Amino acid sequence: LAKTTQPISMDSYEGQEVNITCSHNNIATNDYITWYQQFPSQGPRFIIQGYKTKVTNEVASLFIPADRKSSTLSLPRVSLSDTAVYYCLVGDSAGTALIFGKGTTLSVSS
Amino acid sequence: EPEVTQTPSHQVTQMGQEVILRCVPISNHLYFYWYRQILGQKVEFLVSFYNNEISEKSEIFDDQFSVERPDGSNFTLKIRSTKLEDSAMYFCASTLGGQTFGSGTRLTVV
């Protein structure tokens, strides 16, 4: 499984756009890029998944350059409730075990 | 929105006892997983289950652990002879693509 590298922590203010970048230099051809969010004492929650270019849903956007060696999760207009740990994972989506790193702790202040 | 349901939400057990953690995956999902998260640490993969058998397991998942799908809906994790260091949040997940996690069982071994 490709290893990922992401910042340990980020700080933001309410209403700002937050971009969290993840490096995955050894991503394989079959790998998808998936982002999860975790609040304290809760299970990780799927945010978004992509393979290449840009994916957008009601929560976030995911930007993936052509070489796929990195990806950026974009959270528009964050609120206090977006304070959480965000994990970037890569793998074959068909049943692969998820190997979590330490993630990025996002702290949103008013 | 379909959910993965885990029971109990909190289990306290004495060291050396056996515990069974229960999960009801989303009904049309094919892959099932158990993860654990020791307080303050990252989420760790334990085991994946597909087509009524273990498809992958980590080095954590030793003879102390077993999984079972006793009927068409439940997926259980049994931990025999519990130790203090087994205290953690245990998450069940299921997937067709992106994994959906349950809210977890907090296991406390005293």
Side-chain angles (χ1 to χ4, degrees), chain A residues 36 38 41-44 46 49 87 93-102, chain B residues 31 33 35 37 42-43 45 48 56 89 91 95-99 101-103 106:
Chain A
Y36 286 81
Q38 187 181 28
S41 298
Q42 294 187 29
F46 173 89
Q49 183 180 70
Y87 299 97
S93 66
T96 305
L98 297 176
I99 306 301
F100 286 82
K102 295 185 177 180
Chain B
Y31 293 88
Y33 309 81
Y35 295 82
Q37 187 173 31
K42 59 186 181 182
V43 177
F45 166 72
S48 59
E56 190 176 356
M89 286 287 287
F91 296 109
T95 187
L96 273 181
Q99 293 185 23
F101 284 74
S103 55
R106 181 178 297 283

PDB file of all heavy atoms in Angstrom, chain A residues 36 38 41-44 46 49 87 93-102, chain B residues 31 33 35 37 42-43 45 48 56 89 91 95-99 101-103 106:
ATOM      1  N   TYR A  36     -10.996  10.618   4.897  1.00  0.00           N
ATOM      2  CA  TYR A  36     -11.927  10.372   5.989  1.00  0.00           C
ATOM      3  C   TYR A  36     -11.781  11.482   7.030  1.00  0.00           C
ATOM      4  O   TYR A  36     -10.721  12.107   7.158  1.00  0.00           O
ATOM      5  CB  TYR A  36     -11.648   9.027   6.668  1.00  0.00           C
ATOM      6  CG  TYR A  36     -12.060   7.822   5.870  1.00  0.00           C
ATOM      7  CD1 TYR A  36     -11.269   7.323   4.856  1.00  0.00           C
ATOM      8  CD2 TYR A  36     -13.273   7.179   6.141  1.00  0.00           C
ATOM      9  CE1 TYR A  36     -11.655   6.226   4.115  1.00  0.00           C
ATOM     10  CE2 TYR A  36     -13.662   6.070   5.411  1.00  0.00           C
ATOM     11  CZ  TYR A  36     -12.852   5.606   4.401  1.00  0.00           C
ATOM     12  OH  TYR A  36     -13.241   4.513   3.667  1.00  0.00           O
ATOM     13  N   GLN A  38     -12.545  12.234  11.248  1.00  0.00           N
ATOM     14  CA  GLN A  38     -12.856  11.568  12.513  1.00  0.00           C
ATOM     15  C   GLN A  38     -12.972  12.589  13.634  1.00  0.00           C
ATOM     16  O   GLN A  38     -12.051  13.380  13.866  1.00  0.00           O
ATOM     17  CB  GLN A  38     -11.803  10.517  12.881  1.00  0.00           C
ATOM     18  CG  GLN A  38     -12.196   9.692  14.103  1.00  0.00           C
ATOM     19  CD  GLN A  38     -11.161   8.672  14.501  1.00  0.00           C
ATOM     20  OE1 GLN A  38      -9.964   8.834  14.263  1.00  0.00           O
ATOM     21  NE2 GLN A  38     -11.610   7.591  15.149  1.00  0.00           N
ATOM     22  N   SER A  41     -13.807  10.014  19.720  1.00  0.00           N
ATOM     23  CA  SER A  41     -14.656   8.906  20.165  1.00  0.00           C
ATOM     24  C   SER A  41     -15.709   8.494  19.137  1.00  0.00           C
ATOM     25  O   SER A  41     -16.745   7.913  19.495  1.00  0.00           O
ATOM     26  CB  SER A  41     -15.350   9.256  21.493  1.00  0.00           C
ATOM     27  OG  SER A  41     -14.385   9.465  22.484  1.00  0.00           O
ATOM     28  N   GLN A  42     -15.463   8.802  17.886  1.00  0.00           N
ATOM     29  CA  GLN A  42     -16.358   8.353  16.812  1.00  0.00           C
ATOM     30  C   GLN A  42     -15.554   7.625  15.743  1.00  0.00           C
ATOM     31  O   GLN A  42     -14.336   7.777  15.657  1.00  0.00           O
ATOM     32  CB  GLN A  42     -17.098   9.538  16.185  1.00  0.00           C
ATOM     33  CG  GLN A  42     -18.074  10.217  17.124  1.00  0.00           C
ATOM     34  CD  GLN A  42     -18.903  11.273  16.417  1.00  0.00           C
ATOM     35  OE1 GLN A  42     -19.153  11.166  15.207  1.00  0.00           O
ATOM     36  NE2 GLN A  42     -19.324  12.282  17.154  1.00  0.00           N
ATOM     37  N   GLY A  43     -16.241   6.845  14.928  1.00  0.00           N
ATOM     38  CA  GLY A  43     -15.584   6.168  13.839  1.00  0.00           C
ATOM     39  C   GLY A  43     -15.252   7.118  12.703  1.00  0.00           C
ATOM     40  O   GLY A  43     -15.904   8.149  12.541  1.00  0.00           O
ATOM     41  N   PRO A  44     -14.241   6.807  11.916  1.00  0.00           N
ATOM     42  CA  PRO A  44     -13.941   7.635  10.739  1.00  0.00           C
ATOM     43  C   PRO A  44     -15.142   7.705   9.811  1.00  0.00           C
ATOM     44  O   PRO A  44     -15.882   6.736   9.655  1.00  0.00           O
ATOM     45  CB  PRO A  44     -12.773   6.895  10.077  1.00  0.00           C
ATOM     46  CG  PRO A  44     -12.137   6.111  11.184  1.00  0.00           C
ATOM     47  CD  PRO A  44     -13.269   5.704  12.064  1.00  0.00           C
ATOM     48  N   PHE A  46     -16.372   8.652   5.940  1.00  0.00           N
ATOM     49  CA  PHE A  46     -15.976   8.860   4.546  1.00  0.00           C
ATOM     50  C   PHE A  46     -16.359  10.265   4.100  1.00  0.00           C
ATOM     51  O   PHE A  46     -17.489  10.703   4.317  1.00  0.00           O
ATOM     52  CB  PHE A  46     -16.675   7.813   3.673  1.00  0.00           C
ATOM     53  CG  PHE A  46     -16.503   8.007   2.195  1.00  0.00           C
ATOM     54  CD1 PHE A  46     -15.421   7.438   1.541  1.00  0.00           C
ATOM     55  CD2 PHE A  46     -17.416   8.739   1.455  1.00  0.00           C
ATOM     56  CE1 PHE A  46     -15.269   7.598   0.172  1.00  0.00           C
ATOM     57  CE2 PHE A  46     -17.263   8.903   0.093  1.00  0.00           C
ATOM     58  CZ  PHE A  46     -16.191   8.326  -0.549  1.00  0.00           C
ATOM     59  N   GLN A  49     -13.827  10.479  -2.385  1.00  0.00           N
ATOM     60  CA  GLN A  49     -12.887   9.559  -3.022  1.00  0.00           C
ATOM     61  C   GLN A  49     -12.712   9.949  -4.476  1.00  0.00           C
ATOM     62  O   GLN A  49     -13.680  10.373  -5.127  1.00  0.00           O
ATOM     63  CB  GLN A  49     -13.411   8.116  -2.931  1.00  0.00           C
ATOM     64  CG  GLN A  49     -12.479   7.060  -3.497  1.00  0.00           C
ATOM     65  CD  GLN A  49     -13.060   5.657  -3.363  1.00  0.00           C
ATOM     66  OE1 GLN A  49     -14.036   5.296  -4.027  1.00  0.00           O
ATOM     67  NE2 GLN A  49     -12.476   4.874  -2.478  1.00  0.00           N
ATOM     68  N   TYR A  87      -7.944  12.196   7.450  1.00  0.00           N
ATOM     69  CA  TYR A  87      -7.013  11.171   6.995  1.00  0.00           C
ATOM     70  C   TYR A  87      -7.068  11.042   5.474  1.00  0.00           C
ATOM     71  O   TYR A  87      -8.145  10.978   4.884  1.00  0.00           O
ATOM     72  CB  TYR A  87      -7.378   9.810   7.585  1.00  0.00           C
ATOM     73  CG  TYR A  87      -7.355   9.718   9.083  1.00  0.00           C
ATOM     74  CD1 TYR A  87      -8.518   9.853   9.826  1.00  0.00           C
ATOM     75  CD2 TYR A  87      -6.165   9.475   9.772  1.00  0.00           C
ATOM     76  CE1 TYR A  87      -8.517   9.753  11.203  1.00  0.00           C
ATOM     77  CE2 TYR A  87      -6.151   9.369  11.154  1.00  0.00           C
ATOM     78  CZ  TYR A  87      -7.331   9.511  11.855  1.00  0.00           C
ATOM     79  OH  TYR A  87      -7.320   9.403  13.235  1.00  0.00           O
ATOM     80  N   SER A  93      -9.946   0.269  -3.964  1.00  0.00           N
ATOM     81  CA  SER A  93     -11.188   0.409  -3.216  1.00  0.00           C
ATOM     82  C   SER A  93     -11.921  -0.912  -3.034  1.00  0.00           C
ATOM     83  O   SER A  93     -12.786  -1.016  -2.187  1.00  0.00           O
ATOM     84  CB  SER A  93     -12.116   1.416  -3.895  1.00  0.00           C
ATOM     85  OG  SER A  93     -12.527   0.926  -5.152  1.00  0.00           O
ATOM     86  N   ALA A  94     -11.575  -1.935  -3.770  1.00  0.00           N
ATOM     87  CA  ALA A  94     -12.309  -3.198  -3.696  1.00  0.00           C
ATOM     88  C   ALA A  94     -11.840  -4.044  -2.523  1.00  0.00           C
ATOM     89  O   ALA A  94     -11.082  -4.986  -2.676  1.00  0.00           O
ATOM     90  CB  ALA A  94     -12.156  -3.967  -5.000  1.00  0.00           C
ATOM     91  N   GLY A  95     -12.245  -3.679  -1.332  1.00  0.00           N
ATOM     92  CA  GLY A  95     -12.015  -4.526  -0.178  1.00  0.00           C
ATOM     93  C   GLY A  95     -10.675  -4.392   0.504  1.00  0.00           C
ATOM     94  O   GLY A  95     -10.371  -5.142   1.418  1.00  0.00           O
ATOM     95  N   THR A  96      -9.853  -3.445   0.102  1.00  0.00           N
ATOM     96  CA  THR A  96      -8.534  -3.308   0.717  1.00  0.00           C
ATOM     97  C   THR A  96      -8.654  -2.771   2.129  1.00  0.00           C
ATOM     98  O   THR A  96      -9.436  -1.866   2.390  1.00  0.00           O
ATOM     99  CB  THR A  96      -7.670  -2.354  -0.121  1.00  0.00           C
ATOM    100  OG1 THR A  96      -7.625  -2.812  -1.455  1.00  0.00           O
ATOM    101  CG2 THR A  96      -6.265  -2.273   0.433  1.00  0.00           C
ATOM    102  N   ALA A  97      -7.857  -3.327   3.039  1.00  0.00           N
ATOM    103  CA  ALA A  97      -7.804  -2.790   4.390  1.00  0.00           C
ATOM    104  C   ALA A  97      -7.253  -1.375   4.359  1.00  0.00           C
ATOM    105  O   ALA A  97      -6.363  -1.059   3.574  1.00  0.00           O
ATOM    106  CB  ALA A  97      -6.907  -3.664   5.257  1.00  0.00           C
ATOM    107  N   LEU A  98      -7.793  -0.516   5.186  1.00  0.00           N
ATOM    108  CA  LEU A  98      -7.316   0.856   5.269  1.00  0.00           C
ATOM    109  C   LEU A  98      -6.193   0.949   6.276  1.00  0.00           C
ATOM    110  O   LEU A  98      -6.327   0.479   7.404  1.00  0.00           O
ATOM    111  CB  LEU A  98      -8.457   1.786   5.666  1.00  0.00           C
ATOM    112  CG  LEU A  98      -9.624   1.878   4.674  1.00  0.00           C
ATOM    113  CD1 LEU A  98     -10.722   2.768   5.240  1.00  0.00           C
ATOM    114  CD2 LEU A  98      -9.154   2.390   3.331  1.00  0.00           C
ATOM    115  N   ILE A  99      -5.088   1.531   5.874  1.00  0.00           N
ATOM    116  CA  ILE A  99      -3.953   1.725   6.774  1.00  0.00           C
ATOM    117  C   ILE A  99      -3.889   3.214   7.089  1.00  0.00           C
ATOM    118  O   ILE A  99      -3.502   4.026   6.252  1.00  0.00           O
ATOM    119  CB  ILE A  99      -2.638   1.244   6.132  1.00  0.00           C
ATOM    120  CG1 ILE A  99      -2.784  -0.208   5.655  1.00  0.00           C
ATOM    121  CG2 ILE A  99      -1.490   1.400   7.120  1.00  0.00           C
ATOM    122  CD1 ILE A  99      -3.129  -1.196   6.743  1.00  0.00           C
ATOM    123  N   PHE A 100      -4.302   3.541   8.294  1.00  0.00           N
ATOM    124  CA  PHE A 100      -4.374   4.935   8.708  1.00  0.00           C
ATOM    125  C   PHE A 100      -3.035   5.429   9.202  1.00  0.00           C
ATOM    126  O   PHE A 100      -2.315   4.726   9.902  1.00  0.00           O
ATOM    127  CB  PHE A 100      -5.403   5.099   9.832  1.00  0.00           C
ATOM    128  CG  PHE A 100      -6.831   5.005   9.384  1.00  0.00           C
ATOM    129  CD1 PHE A 100      -7.426   3.760   9.198  1.00  0.00           C
ATOM    130  CD2 PHE A 100      -7.594   6.141   9.157  1.00  0.00           C
ATOM    131  CE1 PHE A 100      -8.750   3.667   8.788  1.00  0.00           C
ATOM    132  CE2 PHE A 100      -8.907   6.051   8.757  1.00  0.00           C
ATOM    133  CZ  PHE A 100      -9.486   4.812   8.564  1.00  0.00           C
ATOM    134  N   GLY A 101      -2.714   6.674   8.840  1.00  0.00           N
ATOM    135  CA  GLY A 101      -1.608   7.370   9.469  1.00  0.00           C
ATOM    136  C   GLY A 101      -2.145   8.186  10.627  1.00  0.00           C
ATOM    137  O   GLY A 101      -3.232   7.910  11.150  1.00  0.00           O
ATOM    138  N   LYS A 102      -1.400   9.180  11.013  1.00  0.00           N
ATOM    139  CA  LYS A 102      -1.831  10.024  12.134  1.00  0.00           C
ATOM    140  C   LYS A 102      -2.805  11.099  11.704  1.00  0.00           C
ATOM    141  O   LYS A 102      -3.441  11.740  12.532  1.00  0.00           O
ATOM    142  CB  LYS A 102      -0.616  10.643  12.812  1.00  0.00           C
ATOM    143  CG  LYS A 102       0.285   9.614  13.479  1.00  0.00           C
ATOM    144  CD  LYS A 102       1.420  10.257  14.244  1.00  0.00           C
ATOM    145  CE  LYS A 102       2.250   9.181  14.954  1.00  0.00           C
ATOM    146  NZ  LYS A 102       3.380   9.766  15.707  1.00  0.00           N
TER     147      LYS A 102
ATOM    148  N   TYR B  31     -17.826  -6.604   1.951  1.00  0.00           N
ATOM    149  CA  TYR B  31     -16.598  -6.715   2.730  1.00  0.00           C
ATOM    150  C   TYR B  31     -16.854  -6.156   4.124  1.00  0.00           C
ATOM    151  O   TYR B  31     -17.503  -5.119   4.279  1.00  0.00           O
ATOM    152  CB  TYR B  31     -15.463  -5.906   2.089  1.00  0.00           C
ATOM    153  CG  TYR B  31     -14.988  -6.431   0.761  1.00  0.00           C
ATOM    154  CD1 TYR B  31     -15.598  -6.036  -0.423  1.00  0.00           C
ATOM    155  CD2 TYR B  31     -13.912  -7.312   0.688  1.00  0.00           C
ATOM    156  CE1 TYR B  31     -15.158  -6.506  -1.647  1.00  0.00           C
ATOM    157  CE2 TYR B  31     -13.463  -7.785  -0.532  1.00  0.00           C
ATOM    158  CZ  TYR B  31     -14.086  -7.381  -1.693  1.00  0.00           C
ATOM    159  OH  TYR B  31     -13.642  -7.849  -2.897  1.00  0.00           O
ATOM    160  N   TYR B  33     -15.000  -5.398   8.119  1.00  0.00           N
ATOM    161  CA  TYR B  33     -13.704  -5.141   8.745  1.00  0.00           C
ATOM    162  C   TYR B  33     -13.865  -4.871  10.240  1.00  0.00           C
ATOM    163  O   TYR B  33     -14.910  -4.402  10.686  1.00  0.00           O
ATOM    164  CB  TYR B  33     -13.056  -3.880   8.140  1.00  0.00           C
ATOM    165  CG  TYR B  33     -12.994  -3.838   6.642  1.00  0.00           C
ATOM    166  CD1 TYR B  33     -14.102  -3.454   5.890  1.00  0.00           C
ATOM    167  CD2 TYR B  33     -11.819  -4.177   5.974  1.00  0.00           C
ATOM    168  CE1 TYR B  33     -14.043  -3.417   4.511  1.00  0.00           C
ATOM    169  CE2 TYR B  33     -11.756  -4.131   4.591  1.00  0.00           C
ATOM    170  CZ  TYR B  33     -12.874  -3.754   3.872  1.00  0.00           C
ATOM    171  OH  TYR B  33     -12.814  -3.713   2.501  1.00  0.00           O
ATOM    172  N   TYR B  35     -11.446  -2.699  13.084  1.00  0.00           N
ATOM    173  CA  TYR B  35     -10.314  -1.846  13.384  1.00  0.00           C
ATOM    174  C   TYR B  35     -10.349  -1.555  14.873  1.00  0.00           C
ATOM    175  O   TYR B  35     -11.390  -1.661  15.515  1.00  0.00           O
ATOM    176  CB  TYR B  35     -10.404  -0.512  12.628  1.00  0.00           C
ATOM    177  CG  TYR B  35     -10.307  -0.601  11.121  1.00  0.00           C
ATOM    178  CD1 TYR B  35     -11.422  -0.929  10.350  1.00  0.00           C
ATOM    179  CD2 TYR B  35      -9.107  -0.343  10.475  1.00  0.00           C
ATOM    180  CE1 TYR B  35     -11.339  -0.997   8.970  1.00  0.00           C
ATOM    181  CE2 TYR B  35      -9.011  -0.408   9.081  1.00  0.00           C
ATOM    182  CZ  TYR B  35     -10.136  -0.729   8.341  1.00  0.00           C
ATOM    183  OH  TYR B  35     -10.043  -0.795   6.973  1.00  0.00           O
ATOM    184  N   GLN B  37      -8.730   1.400  17.897  1.00  0.00           N
ATOM    185  CA  GLN B  37      -8.012   2.653  18.130  1.00  0.00           C
ATOM    186  C   GLN B  37      -7.783   2.787  19.632  1.00  0.00           C
ATOM    187  O   GLN B  37      -8.729   3.035  20.386  1.00  0.00           O
ATOM    188  CB  GLN B  37      -8.781   3.850  17.583  1.00  0.00           C
ATOM    189  CG  GLN B  37      -8.008   5.150  17.641  1.00  0.00           C
ATOM    190  CD  GLN B  37      -8.740   6.285  16.933  1.00  0.00           C
ATOM    191  OE1 GLN B  37      -9.952   6.324  16.884  1.00  0.00           O
ATOM    192  NE2 GLN B  37      -7.979   7.211  16.359  1.00  0.00           N
ATOM    193  N   LYS B  42      -3.460   6.040  16.519  1.00  0.00           N
ATOM    194  CA  LYS B  42      -4.115   5.977  15.222  1.00  0.00           C
ATOM    195  C   LYS B  42      -5.002   4.738  15.105  1.00  0.00           C
ATOM    196  O   LYS B  42      -4.902   3.801  15.886  1.00  0.00           O
ATOM    197  CB  LYS B  42      -3.088   5.990  14.098  1.00  0.00           C
ATOM    198  CG  LYS B  42      -2.097   4.853  14.133  1.00  0.00           C
ATOM    199  CD  LYS B  42      -1.034   5.044  13.064  1.00  0.00           C
ATOM    200  CE  LYS B  42      -0.047   3.890  13.071  1.00  0.00           C
ATOM    201  NZ  LYS B  42       1.026   4.079  12.067  1.00  0.00           N
ATOM    202  N   VAL B  43      -5.866   4.779  14.135  1.00  0.00           N
ATOM    203  CA  VAL B  43      -6.742   3.649  13.851  1.00  0.00           C
ATOM    204  C   VAL B  43      -5.906   2.522  13.243  1.00  0.00           C
ATOM    205  O   VAL B  43      -5.131   2.745  12.316  1.00  0.00           O
ATOM    206  CB  VAL B  43      -7.854   4.075  12.870  1.00  0.00           C
ATOM    207  CG1 VAL B  43      -8.735   2.895  12.514  1.00  0.00           C
ATOM    208  CG2 VAL B  43      -8.683   5.212  13.451  1.00  0.00           C
ATOM    209  N   PHE B  45      -5.827  -1.416  11.606  1.00  0.00           N
ATOM    210  CA  PHE B  45      -6.564  -2.494  10.961  1.00  0.00           C
ATOM    211  C   PHE B  45      -6.349  -3.808  11.715  1.00  0.00           C
ATOM    212  O   PHE B  45      -5.215  -4.138  12.096  1.00  0.00           O
ATOM    213  CB  PHE B  45      -6.092  -2.636   9.514  1.00  0.00           C
ATOM    214  CG  PHE B  45      -6.523  -3.898   8.838  1.00  0.00           C
ATOM    215  CD1 PHE B  45      -7.844  -4.089   8.465  1.00  0.00           C
ATOM    216  CD2 PHE B  45      -5.613  -4.910   8.566  1.00  0.00           C
ATOM    217  CE1 PHE B  45      -8.257  -5.249   7.835  1.00  0.00           C
ATOM    218  CE2 PHE B  45      -6.001  -6.074   7.930  1.00  0.00           C
ATOM    219  CZ  PHE B  45      -7.331  -6.243   7.569  1.00  0.00           C
ATOM    220  N   SER B  48     -10.105  -8.292   7.826  1.00  0.00           N
ATOM    221  CA  SER B  48     -11.168  -8.106   6.844  1.00  0.00           C
ATOM    222  C   SER B  48     -11.787  -9.462   6.521  1.00  0.00           C
ATOM    223  O   SER B  48     -11.134 -10.508   6.652  1.00  0.00           O
ATOM    224  CB  SER B  48     -10.651  -7.430   5.574  1.00  0.00           C
ATOM    225  OG  SER B  48      -9.627  -8.200   4.982  1.00  0.00           O
ATOM    226  N   GLU B  56      -7.962 -10.917   4.935  1.00  0.00           N
ATOM    227  CA  GLU B  56      -6.701 -10.280   5.298  1.00  0.00           C
ATOM    228  C   GLU B  56      -6.699 -10.038   6.808  1.00  0.00           C
ATOM    229  O   GLU B  56      -7.756  -9.775   7.382  1.00  0.00           O
ATOM    230  CB  GLU B  56      -6.578  -8.934   4.560  1.00  0.00           C
ATOM    231  CG  GLU B  56      -5.243  -8.251   4.646  1.00  0.00           C
ATOM    232  CD  GLU B  56      -5.200  -6.975   3.813  1.00  0.00           C
ATOM    233  OE1 GLU B  56      -6.176  -6.655   3.111  1.00  0.00           O
ATOM    234  OE2 GLU B  56      -4.152  -6.299   3.862  1.00  0.00           O
ATOM    235  N   MET B  89     -11.055   1.606  21.481  1.00  0.00           N
ATOM    236  CA  MET B  89     -12.284   1.675  20.689  1.00  0.00           C
ATOM    237  C   MET B  89     -12.153   0.657  19.566  1.00  0.00           C
ATOM    238  O   MET B  89     -11.121   0.613  18.896  1.00  0.00           O
ATOM    239  CB  MET B  89     -12.478   3.063  20.091  1.00  0.00           C
ATOM    240  CG  MET B  89     -12.918   4.123  21.069  1.00  0.00           C
ATOM    241  SD  MET B  89     -14.637   3.939  21.565  1.00  0.00           S
ATOM    242  CE  MET B  89     -15.495   4.457  20.082  1.00  0.00           C
ATOM    243  N   PHE B  91     -13.811  -0.525  16.041  1.00  0.00           N
ATOM    244  CA  PHE B  91     -14.723  -0.080  14.990  1.00  0.00           C
ATOM    245  C   PHE B  91     -14.945  -1.204  13.983  1.00  0.00           C
ATOM    246  O   PHE B  91     -14.000  -1.846  13.540  1.00  0.00           O
ATOM    247  CB  PHE B  91     -14.153   1.125  14.248  1.00  0.00           C
ATOM    248  CG  PHE B  91     -13.978   2.347  15.089  1.00  0.00           C
ATOM    249  CD1 PHE B  91     -12.721   2.795  15.451  1.00  0.00           C
ATOM    250  CD2 PHE B  91     -15.084   3.072  15.518  1.00  0.00           C
ATOM    251  CE1 PHE B  91     -12.550   3.933  16.227  1.00  0.00           C
ATOM    252  CE2 PHE B  91     -14.939   4.214  16.297  1.00  0.00           C
ATOM    253  CZ  PHE B  91     -13.663   4.643  16.653  1.00  0.00           C
ATOM    254  N   THR B  95     -18.201  -2.276   3.334  1.00  0.00           N
ATOM    255  CA  THR B  95     -17.999  -1.519   2.108  1.00  0.00           C
ATOM    256  C   THR B  95     -18.508  -2.234   0.869  1.00  0.00           C
ATOM    257  O   THR B  95     -18.529  -3.456   0.802  1.00  0.00           O
ATOM    258  CB  THR B  95     -16.502  -1.207   1.902  1.00  0.00           C
ATOM    259  OG1 THR B  95     -16.341  -0.341   0.784  1.00  0.00           O
ATOM    260  CG2 THR B  95     -15.684  -2.458   1.671  1.00  0.00           C
ATOM    261  N   LEU B  96     -18.885  -1.394  -0.085  1.00  0.00           N
ATOM    262  CA  LEU B  96     -18.936  -1.797  -1.480  1.00  0.00           C
ATOM    263  C   LEU B  96     -17.838  -1.030  -2.228  1.00  0.00           C
ATOM    264  O   LEU B  96     -17.302  -1.499  -3.202  1.00  0.00           O
ATOM    265  CB  LEU B  96     -20.287  -1.437  -2.099  1.00  0.00           C
ATOM    266  CG  LEU B  96     -21.431  -2.445  -1.960  1.00  0.00           C
ATOM    267  CD1 LEU B  96     -22.673  -1.919  -2.657  1.00  0.00           C
ATOM    268  CD2 LEU B  96     -21.018  -3.785  -2.559  1.00  0.00           C
ATOM    269  N   GLY B  97     -17.526   0.151  -1.737  1.00  0.00           N
ATOM    270  CA  GLY B  97     -16.471   1.022  -2.280  1.00  0.00           C
ATOM    271  C   GLY B  97     -15.778   1.687  -1.114  1.00  0.00           C
ATOM    272  O   GLY B  97     -14.957   1.101  -0.445  1.00  0.00           O
ATOM    273  N   GLY B  98     -16.136   2.945  -0.806  1.00  0.00           N
ATOM    274  CA  GLY B  98     -15.607   3.589   0.399  1.00  0.00           C
ATOM    275  C   GLY B  98     -16.171   2.928   1.649  1.00  0.00           C
ATOM    276  O   GLY B  98     -17.340   2.558   1.690  1.00  0.00           O
ATOM    277  N   GLN B  99     -15.333   2.753   2.658  1.00  0.00           N
ATOM    278  CA  GLN B  99     -15.768   2.031   3.857  1.00  0.00           C
ATOM    279  C   GLN B  99     -16.629   2.923   4.747  1.00  0.00           C
ATOM    280  O   GLN B  99     -16.310   4.079   4.987  1.00  0.00           O
ATOM    281  CB  GLN B  99     -14.553   1.527   4.632  1.00  0.00           C
ATOM    282  CG  GLN B  99     -13.800   0.447   3.872  1.00  0.00           C
ATOM    283  CD  GLN B  99     -12.665  -0.166   4.656  1.00  0.00           C
ATOM    284  OE1 GLN B  99     -12.634  -0.134   5.873  1.00  0.00           O
ATOM    285  NE2 GLN B  99     -11.703  -0.737   3.940  1.00  0.00           N
ATOM    286  N   PHE B 101     -17.981   3.250   8.542  1.00  0.00           N
ATOM    287  CA  PHE B 101     -17.632   2.800   9.880  1.00  0.00           C
ATOM    288  C   PHE B 101     -18.817   2.936  10.822  1.00  0.00           C
ATOM    289  O   PHE B 101     -19.633   3.849  10.697  1.00  0.00           O
ATOM    290  CB  PHE B 101     -16.474   3.648  10.439  1.00  0.00           C
ATOM    291  CG  PHE B 101     -15.133   3.308   9.865  1.00  0.00           C
ATOM    292  CD1 PHE B 101     -14.799   3.686   8.579  1.00  0.00           C
ATOM    293  CD2 PHE B 101     -14.201   2.599  10.615  1.00  0.00           C
ATOM    294  CE1 PHE B 101     -13.556   3.369   8.039  1.00  0.00           C
ATOM    295  CE2 PHE B 101     -12.961   2.279  10.085  1.00  0.00           C
ATOM    296  CZ  PHE B 101     -12.638   2.665   8.796  1.00  0.00           C
ATOM    297  N   GLY B 102     -18.861   2.017  11.791  1.00  0.00           N
ATOM    298  CA  GLY B 102     -19.801   2.173  12.878  1.00  0.00           C
ATOM    299  C   GLY B 102     -19.267   3.174  13.897  1.00  0.00           C
ATOM    300  O   GLY B 102     -18.155   3.687  13.761  1.00  0.00           O
ATOM    301  N   SER B 103     -20.075   3.420  14.914  1.00  0.00           N
ATOM    302  CA  SER B 103     -19.693   4.409  15.919  1.00  0.00           C
ATOM    303  C   SER B 103     -18.788   3.824  16.993  1.00  0.00           C
ATOM    304  O   SER B 103     -18.306   4.553  17.855  1.00  0.00           O
ATOM    305  CB  SER B 103     -20.937   5.021  16.557  1.00  0.00           C
ATOM    306  OG  SER B 103     -21.760   4.003  17.065  1.00  0.00           O
ATOM    307  N   ARG B 106     -16.466   0.981  22.909  1.00  0.00           N
ATOM    308  CA  ARG B 106     -15.343   1.289  23.791  1.00  0.00           C
ATOM    309  C   ARG B 106     -15.164   0.126  24.757  1.00  0.00           C
ATOM    310  O   ARG B 106     -16.023  -0.127  25.596  1.00  0.00           O
ATOM    311  CB  ARG B 106     -15.581   2.577  24.561  1.00  0.00           C
ATOM    312  CG  ARG B 106     -14.422   2.942  25.486  1.00  0.00           C
ATOM    313  CD  ARG B 106     -14.660   4.258  26.213  1.00  0.00           C
ATOM    314  NE  ARG B 106     -14.750   5.377  25.290  1.00  0.00           N
ATOM    315  CZ  ARG B 106     -13.712   5.959  24.699  1.00  0.00           C
ATOM    316  NH1 ARG B 106     -12.484   5.532  24.944  1.00  0.00           N
ATOM    317  NH2 ARG B 106     -13.893   6.976  23.893  1.00  0.00           N
TER     318      ARG B 106
END
